[in-house]
Amino acid sequence: MNLQRRLILANALTVIIPLLITVLCALGFIYVTGKIAGTEQTLKNTQEMTQLTFDLVGSEESILRRNPERIEDPSFQNQLINRLAAVDGEVTALQGDTVLFSSQKLTKIDVAKLLATSGWFKQDTITLGNQTYSVQPLDLALATDNQESTSLFFLVPFDPASFNLKNFIIFCAIIFVLAFIAANVYMSRYFSRGIVFPLNNLRKAAKEITFGNLNHEIVSEGDKELRELCHDLERMRIQLKNSVHTQLKYEDNRKMMITSISHDLKTPVTSIKGYVEGLLDGIANSPEKKEKYLRTIYRKAEQVDTMIDDLLLYAKLDLNQIPFNLQITNIEEFLMDGFREIEPEMERNGIIMHFKSELKGTCEIPLDRERMMRVIMNIIDNSRKYMNKEDGRITLYVRETHSSVIIEVQDNGSGIPDPEVKQIFERFYRSDQARSEIKGSGLGLAIAKQIVEGHEGRIWAISRVGEGTSIVISLPRG
């Protein structure tokens, strides 16, 4: 149920329920007063009088309609008196203000009271003596030839205490007010539970979030609008929690980056300082030695420059500041171009290169050719750096699945210990033994991971110590 329907239903019920209760109580009031004061007998008498009226003038075939002169017949008058007597009633006939006949003695005041109630089928009550009667007057002016009108009055005893309209109205009003108040209280409590309880829970959740507790779950409950609000706030809480977690992770990464940069820059800078001091102190006292010192300083400066370039590239990739220029590329031709480019350098380092394609036909996928080539070159160069065997081999594989293209660079080098395999794609990660022996920024594989993920692909490593390492790249087929 939505909030609008709930409010409409609550407002409708707060009126309908009191009305139903009032009607039931009114019927009960009538029934009880009827039992106590004999109202049932009064109703029966009234029904008998109504039937008598219908028999006399109710239709064209009725007695006084067919033969109005019978009103003056003593035997007919006695019949009327006897029939009214059966219900403790009285009958009186007036011609003008003169009494034609009557079942009781009437004074002029009583006659005036009767005349005040005359009219076609007009019912009223009058008090004659100590008795109150319900009056059924019949105007027979049209039924006689006399110039003065003739009226017939049927009187049935009536007890005013049997049904007091004023008391009945007051009773109904009191019942309605009490029922209305009770219905409002009940409906407010019943229907507000679907609104107040969820709002209280939201208030508690907001308080927890204010205190920094982002693990307090916001449960969707209540009406449709409130459930949607709870759902949106829960999503906001999760996003805020993830944002805080990401921020803390970035902060940890920033600290690690600063530590790693300091560590990796310290070695070449220290070397540069040492060789510069050697030149200043005159240790390099020959042209050959000076040239050697200067060349070493240059190489160390180039190493620092490379590290800074890689760091800037990684930062831009991490912040998505470098757009990818994707082009539909024949993947086999692309890898062959890279293979031919790097093969001579590998041969100079005593490493044999192999290229194996398991593609069933032409395979084209969207690539940023320049950046993906950098990924392949970085992986192969890493294999060269960590090659510890004289018969070194690096094999470049390409194969395909239904939804992706798999590129694998496999070597037979030193391998990576199991605990470190998942860490090699982290920025600045290098094993402690490699830090002083292997040149580089430590960002090569981290940059490779950023580029592959920018292509909506995946990259992972499989390695065995002493046997070699495989770096696997999975790229979607577009």
Side-chain angles (χ1 to χ4, degrees):
M1 184 183 296
N2 59 35
L3 188 58
Q4 183 180 10
R5 289 181 180 176
R6 179 183 289 275
L7 293 176
I8 292 174
L9 181 59
N11 291 332
L13 289 178
T14 53
V15 176
I16 294 173
I17 292 177
L19 284 176
L20 291 176
I21 293 174
T22 303
V23 170
L24 292 175
C25 290
L27 293 176
F29 179 88
I30 293 173
Y31 177 79
V32 171
T33 54
K35 286 292 184 181
I36 295 174
T39 306
E40 290 182 359
Q41 185 61 42
T42 302
L43 292 175
K44 289 180 181 179
N45 296 342
T46 303
Q47 289 175 355
E48 178 64 22
M49 186 174 65
T50 302
Q51 182 63 43
L52 177 59
T53 302
F54 181 80
D55 292 341
L56 293 176
V57 295
S59 65
E60 294 295 332
E61 300 298 323
S62 58
I63 297 172
L64 294 181
R65 290 282 188 182
R66 288 187 291 108
N67 190 7
E69 293 79 7
R70 292 196 64 185
I71 191 65
E72 299 176 355
D73 184 0
S75 61
F76 180 73
Q77 294 174 0
N78 288 330
Q79 289 178 6
L80 291 180
I81 293 172
N82 293 333
R83 189 167 179 178
L84 265 297
V87 294
D88 298 328
E90 306 289 345
V91 61
T92 298
L94 298 178
Q95 189 171 32
D97 57 356
T98 303
V99 178
L100 289 179
F101 76 92
S102 177
S103 60
Q104 61 178 339
K105 293 182 179 181
L106 300 175
T107 65
K108 290 185 177 181
I109 296 176
D110 294 335
V111 171
K113 290 181 179 180
L114 286 173
L115 290 174
T117 64
S118 63
W120 284 101
F121 298 101
K122 180 181 179 181
Q123 295 184 4
D124 203 348
T125 59
I126 64 172
T127 301
L128 300 177
N130 297 324
Q131 180 64 51
T132 301
Y133 294 94
S134 174
V135 180
Q136 177 71 59
L138 297 178
D139 192 351
L140 304 178
L142 299 177
T144 66
D145 295 331
N146 297 323
Q147 294 180 353
E148 293 182 325
S149 63
T150 301
S151 300
L152 188 63
F153 298 89
F154 299 134
L155 294 86
V156 177
F158 175 76
D159 185 4
S162 64
F163 184 80
N164 191 307
L165 181 61
K166 180 179 179 182
N167 293 338
F168 177 74
I169 293 175
I170 293 174
F171 173 79
C172 291
I174 293 174
I175 293 297
F176 179 81
V177 171
L178 294 177
F180 184 79
I181 294 173
N184 268 276
V185 172
Y186 177 78
M187 290 300 168
S188 297
R189 294 188 62 183
Y190 178 78
F191 284 99
S192 65
R193 282 185 295 181
I195 301 174
V196 175
F197 288 175
L199 289 179
N200 286 335
N201 291 335
L202 284 178
R203 181 180 58 81
K204 293 177 182 177
K207 188 175 181 180
E208 292 292 334
I209 293 174
T210 301
F211 290 151
N213 180 14
L214 297 177
N215 294 318
H216 186 84
E217 183 179 359
I218 301 175
V219 180
S220 296
E221 56 184 344
D223 293 321
K224 179 182 178 182
E225 294 85 351
L226 289 174
R227 290 198 305 271
E228 291 175 352
L229 175 61
C230 292
H231 180 68
D232 291 340
L233 291 176
E234 174 65 7
R235 289 178 57 191
M236 182 192 72
R237 180 192 70 85
I238 293 173
Q239 291 180 359
L240 182 60
K241 180 181 177 181
N242 292 337
S243 177
V244 171
H245 176 74
T246 303
Q247 185 65 33
L248 293 175
K249 183 179 178 181
Y250 281 163
E251 184 66 20
D252 291 340
N253 289 341
R254 184 183 65 82
K255 293 177 182 178
M256 185 190 71
M257 181 183 294
I258 293 173
T259 303
S260 300
I261 292 174
S262 301
H263 187 283
D264 286 347
L265 289 178
K266 185 175 182 180
T267 301
V269 171
T270 300
S271 297
I272 291 173
K273 286 174 62 179
Y275 283 106
V276 170
E277 288 176 358
L279 289 172
L280 293 175
D281 293 341
I283 296 176
N285 50 14
S286 65
E288 294 80 8
K289 207 168 187 179
K290 287 181 180 180
E291 183 179 356
K292 180 182 177 182
Y293 274 38
L294 290 173
R295 289 186 180 278
T296 302
I297 292 171
Y298 181 76
R299 285 197 304 272
K300 297 295 181 182
E302 278 190 329
Q303 185 179 347
V304 172
D305 188 54
T306 300
M307 292 174 64
I308 292 173
D309 287 343
D310 286 347
L311 180 62
L312 292 174
L313 175 61
Y314 179 83
K316 290 180 179 180
L317 289 171
D318 195 37
L319 296 174
N320 296 319
Q321 291 182 346
I322 299 180
F324 287 90
N325 181 24
L326 300 179
Q327 299 175 353
I328 300 299
T329 302
N330 186 311
I331 188 64
E332 186 172 359
E333 292 180 358
F334 170 76
L335 293 176
M336 279 298 300
D337 291 342
F339 178 82
R340 295 190 189 100
E341 180 181 338
I342 201 170
E343 185 180 21
E345 182 180 350
M346 294 297 105
E347 289 179 352
R348 286 195 297 270
N349 286 272
I351 299 174
I352 299 175
M353 291 284 297
H354 297 281
F355 179 78
K356 294 184 179 180
S357 173
E358 299 178 7
L359 300 176
K360 298 178 182 179
T362 301
C363 181
E364 296 183 339
I365 61 173
L367 284 181
D368 186 317
R369 297 174 60 90
E370 180 181 349
R371 293 193 173 87
M372 188 55 67
M373 184 61 71
R374 176 166 185 156
V375 170
I376 303 300
M377 294 298 106
N378 276 348
I379 295 173
I380 295 175
D381 192 52
N382 267 4
S383 297
R384 177 190 63 79
K385 291 177 183 178
Y386 290 93
M387 182 63 67
N388 61 347
K389 298 178 181 177
E390 293 183 0
D391 58 340
R393 295 190 309 277
I394 299 177
T395 305
L396 181 60
Y397 292 94
V398 59
R399 55 184 180 273
E400 61 184 326
T401 67
H402 177 72
S403 59
S404 61
V405 173
I406 307 298
I407 302 170
E408 180 180 353
V409 178
Q410 184 184 86
D411 64 53
N412 65 339
S414 59
I416 305 170
D418 287 341
E420 300 181 10
V421 171
K422 294 182 180 180
Q423 303 177 43
I424 63 174
F425 296 102
E426 296 178 4
R427 47 192 165 191
F428 298 108
Y429 178 80
R430 284 198 299 251
S431 63
D432 291 337
Q433 296 85 350
R435 283 196 179 272
S436 59
E437 300 173 4
I438 306 300
K439 297 179 181 180
S441 64
L443 288 170
L445 290 180
I447 291 173
K449 181 181 178 182
Q450 290 280 8
I451 294 174
V452 170
E453 290 179 350
H455 285 75
E456 298 183 358
R458 294 171 52 239
I459 183 170
W460 67 95
I462 304 171
S463 183
R464 290 186 178 180
V465 176
E467 296 183 14
T469 302
S470 291
I471 304 296
V472 186
I473 299 172
S474 174
L475 298 173
R477 297 189 64 134

